[in-house]
Amino acid sequence: QVQLVESGGGSVQAGGALRLSCAASGYRSCWGWFRQAPGKKREGVATFDMSGSTRYADSVKGRFTISQDNAKSTLYLQMDSLKPEDTAMYYCAANRLGYCPFRVDLFPYWGQGTQVTVSS
């Protein structure tokens, strides 16, 4: 079983920055961040596999950075130059597939989410 606990959300003005953290236990081969805005589908933001490969949604490239600590127990999402459209509940997710698709249905393990609100 994989357990994931997110932290670090909050409210910030446009142009500001936040860093999200996800503490994990249990084996996983891929993990990442997804988000869901009110009335919208959950979407992939960034993923990180255990070989160190990363993937980003086009909407966050150049502004968000995903990383993990050396112990591979905490995943981070550094979010810079935040925009109002980044407002959403952010979720940490993991799988054991050996690859990192941007598909919600291929991630069986989820955290409880942390809210990010960006005001204009």
Side-chain angles (χ1 to χ4, degrees):
Q1 188 73 1
V2 179
Q3 294 186 325
L4 304 166
V5 180
E6 304 99 332
S7 61
S11 297
V12 65
Q13 288 192 328
L18 284 172
R19 189 175 81 155
L20 306 183
S21 299
C22 173
S25 62
Y27 170 77
R28 62 232 172 266
S29 58
C30 165
W31 53 343
W33 293 94
F34 290 73
R35 67 186 181 187
Q36 186 167 18
K40 294 189 176 181
K41 292 182 179 180
R42 194 169 297 190
E43 62 178 5
V45 175
T47 58
F48 191 106
D49 72 21
M50 291 307 158
S51 71
S53 295
T54 59
R55 181 180 179 181
Y56 295 92
D58 288 343
S59 59
V60 307
K61 281 180 183 176
R63 300 188 298 120
F64 290 11
T65 304
I66 191 170
S67 62
Q68 70 176 13
D69 68 346
N70 289 338
K72 301 182 180 180
S73 61
T74 304
L75 185 71
Y76 302 102
L77 185 68
Q78 178 65 43
M79 305 185 293
D80 298 319
S81 302
L82 282 161
K83 304 176 180 180
E85 51 264 44
D86 295 317
T87 295
M89 184 71 78
Y90 283 71
Y91 297 91
C92 181
N95 70 33
R96 295 175 172 176
L97 296 176
Y99 65 101
C100 284
F102 260 16
R103 284 181 53 179
V104 171
D105 60 322
L106 295 183
F107 283 80
Y109 306 107
W110 292 86
Q112 81 287 354
T114 185
Q115 179 67 39
V116 171
T117 302
V118 184
S119 58
S120 57

